[in-house]
Amino acid sequence: MAATLAVMSGSIPIARLQEEIHRIAVEHGWWERDRPIGEVLMLAVTELAEAMEAHRNGNPPSEKVDGFSAVEEELADVVIRILDLAAGLGFDVDGAIRAKMAYNETRPYRHAGKLA
């Protein structure tokens, strides 16, 4: 089943995107066995490393996704990996993001002197 138009157009909540990402992963065989959380988290780290490599290479156009740069493609892969894992574990990342954003809004400038 193809991803719905709402998913492709970007007009859906993160929770719905998480569901669709996980559905696609399940349909493509990535959840035929329990997936160790460490394995999937390290796959997300690998995608971040690929984003850095694309940046170091001048951020060329993506070879797989028309209209986007290689860094954008790899960052999308990071989010896809994370949302897929979250769905598989039954986590509410949409709610957690919104709660964390609300918390961050209350924090001082640069979190009281942090440099990075």
Side-chain angles (χ1 to χ4, degrees):
M1 174 194 295
T4 64
L5 181 59
V7 171
M8 301 306 288
S9 69
S11 61
I12 64 166
I14 294 167
R16 179 76 177 103
L17 190 60
Q18 178 176 310
E19 291 171 7
E20 283 296 302
I21 286 168
H22 188 62
R23 178 190 61 76
I24 292 167
V26 168
E27 286 180 1
H28 286 86
W30 294 109
W31 287 88
E32 290 178 348
R33 63 172 175 82
D34 286 340
R35 300 191 74 188
I37 190 171
E39 173 186 298
V40 182
L41 289 174
M42 290 313 296
L43 288 170
V45 169
T46 299
E47 300 296 352
L48 283 172
E50 290 175 2
M52 185 65 212
E53 183 177 351
H55 170 71
R56 286 182 178 152
N57 290 330
N59 195 21
S62 168
E63 295 178 2
K64 299 174 187 168
V65 186
D66 290 338
F68 294 94
S69 72
V71 172
E72 289 171 303
E73 175 195 337
E74 298 305 338
L75 291 177
D77 282 342
V78 172
V79 173
I80 288 167
R81 295 268 191 201
I82 290 168
L83 291 180
D84 178 40
L85 175 63
L89 297 174
F91 292 165
D92 176 13
V93 172
D94 191 342
I97 287 171
R98 294 170 199 285
K100 183 63 178 185
M101 288 174 64
Y103 170 75
N104 285 346
E105 189 81 44
T106 69
R107 298 181 84 174
Y109 181 79
R110 288 193 170 252
H111 304 186
K114 289 186 179 177
L115 299 177

